[in-house]
Amino acid sequence: MCLCFRFGLAIGTQFLVCMWYCGLTALLFKLFLFGHTIPEELKAVIGYFTKPSIHTTDAVSSIIASLMVLFSLFQSLYQSVRMSLSSKTLTLLGLMYPMQILFHFNASLSLLAEISLNEKHTQYLYDISQIKWFHPVGLAMFSLASQHKYICLKKLSNNLRKNKAGLMTEAQMPVGDWFSWTSCPQYFADLLIYTSIGVTLGLKNTAWTLCVIDTLIKTTNNSLYQHNWYTMTFKKYPQDRAALVPFLL
């Protein structure tokens, strides 16, 4: 019962975050495609948490980045529902759920933090010259990371033996795809996804850089824990397989 409650809480948290970003993306489209004004309440919140005088991100980059985040969140929600990896030991603590919501709240503000909210952007959105070199580069990184994250999580799910209650009873050593280089390719893919969004924003958005650093810290901690578990569980575990970043960490 406790495990089912935690699983439902995890799915509910992800769904709530997805709906928040849907609202944010709709707001960006209203602002930059139809020329609507941002609500004064939201502008006050953004001004309280950020420095509105710093403008490093354009409207096109902000919209593309918000769509990338939204796609990544819905992909994670789909994988959580269809590829349950729950066990008695690998469950999130209750404190992690509000922390996840807080992280995505700050990340969403990062998409708006360094863009001019008072300027009319509609005239630029329909100009193809506004597509910069870092847009296709960021999208290519994002597509590659998202594809391999799906493949690796599917392999990981298939390697878990579960009982009729859905609990993990036995695990097999994951092999193939990015598992050949790293123990936790799903975390490596997450890091690449957030980095690719930073690239799409032009590599100048300081607020999003802090989100990438936070993701690096969390994925490093989780990867080291998982890597140690693999090495203790499987006697013939490859010694040259990294924990997170291939050939580095």
Side-chain angles (χ1 to χ4, degrees):
M1 181 65 68
C2 181
L3 183 59
C4 292
F5 174 76
R6 290 187 177 183
F7 179 73
L9 187 60
I11 297 299
T13 301
Q14 288 182 304
F15 181 78
L16 179 64
V17 171
C18 287
M19 292 301 99
W20 169 260
Y21 273 98
C22 282
L24 174 67
T25 304
L27 175 64
L28 289 174
F29 271 94
K30 289 177 62 177
L31 287 174
F32 302 141
L33 288 180
F34 304 108
H36 292 195
T37 57
I38 189 171
E40 292 298 327
E41 296 79 5
L42 180 58
K43 188 180 295 186
V45 172
I46 296 173
Y48 179 80
F49 286 100
T50 64
K51 295 181 179 180
S53 59
I54 301 178
H55 301 148
T56 63
T57 306
D58 59 88
V60 175
S61 301
S62 182
I63 287 181
I64 295 175
S66 65
L67 291 174
M68 293 166 68
V69 175
L70 192 59
F71 177 86
S72 177
L73 289 172
F74 272 107
Q75 182 188 37
S76 297
L77 179 61
Y78 170 80
Q79 291 169 335
S80 297
V81 174
R82 297 300 298 271
M83 305 177 191
S84 175
L85 304 178
S86 301
S87 68
K88 292 182 177 180
T89 56
L90 300 178
T91 52
L92 291 174
L93 297 176
L95 184 61
M96 293 299 294
Y97 301 113
M99 289 179 62
Q100 185 180 3
I101 294 176
L102 181 62
F103 168 79
H104 284 290
F105 174 75
N106 292 329
S108 63
L109 290 182
S110 300
L111 296 175
L112 298 171
E114 299 181 22
I115 186 172
S116 177
L117 298 175
N118 297 318
E119 180 183 352
K120 291 287 185 178
H121 298 276
T122 54
Q123 58 181 329
Y124 303 112
L125 288 176
Y126 304 101
D127 185 359
I128 194 172
S129 64
Q130 296 302 309
I131 302 298
K132 307 299 183 183
W133 65 267
F134 45 79
H135 293 151
V137 172
L139 286 170
M141 290 178 56
F142 179 83
S143 300
L144 179 68
S146 299
Q147 178 186 10
H148 283 279
K149 179 182 178 181
Y150 177 83
I151 294 173
C152 292
L153 282 177
K154 190 172 183 179
K155 285 181 173 292
L156 191 61
S157 178
N158 292 336
N159 284 341
L160 300 180
R161 296 182 180 177
K162 303 175 184 179
N163 57 20
K164 294 182 179 180
L167 297 177
M168 185 181 73
T169 58
E170 184 179 353
Q172 298 176 346
M173 184 174 66
V175 294
D177 202 67
W178 283 3
F179 280 110
S180 302
W181 298 288
T182 173
S183 297
C184 302
Q186 71 276 21
Y187 294 137
F188 179 53
D190 279 334
L191 182 59
L192 285 181
I193 286 172
Y194 281 92
T195 302
S196 68
I197 295 172
V199 173
T200 305
L201 291 172
L203 295 172
K204 297 180 181 179
N205 193 307
T206 305
W208 190 263
T209 301
L210 296 177
C211 294
V212 175
I213 294 175
D214 181 80
T215 303
L216 174 62
I217 294 173
K218 291 188 297 185
T219 53
T220 300
N221 179 65
N222 293 337
S223 297
L224 291 175
Y225 175 84
Q226 191 70 29
H227 181 74
N228 291 334
W229 184 84
Y230 280 140
T231 54
M232 291 186 297
T233 303
F234 305 109
K235 296 181 180 179
K236 296 182 179 180
Y237 195 74
Q239 297 298 320
D240 58 345
R241 190 179 294 186
L244 177 61
V245 182
F247 312 113
L248 292 178
L249 177 62

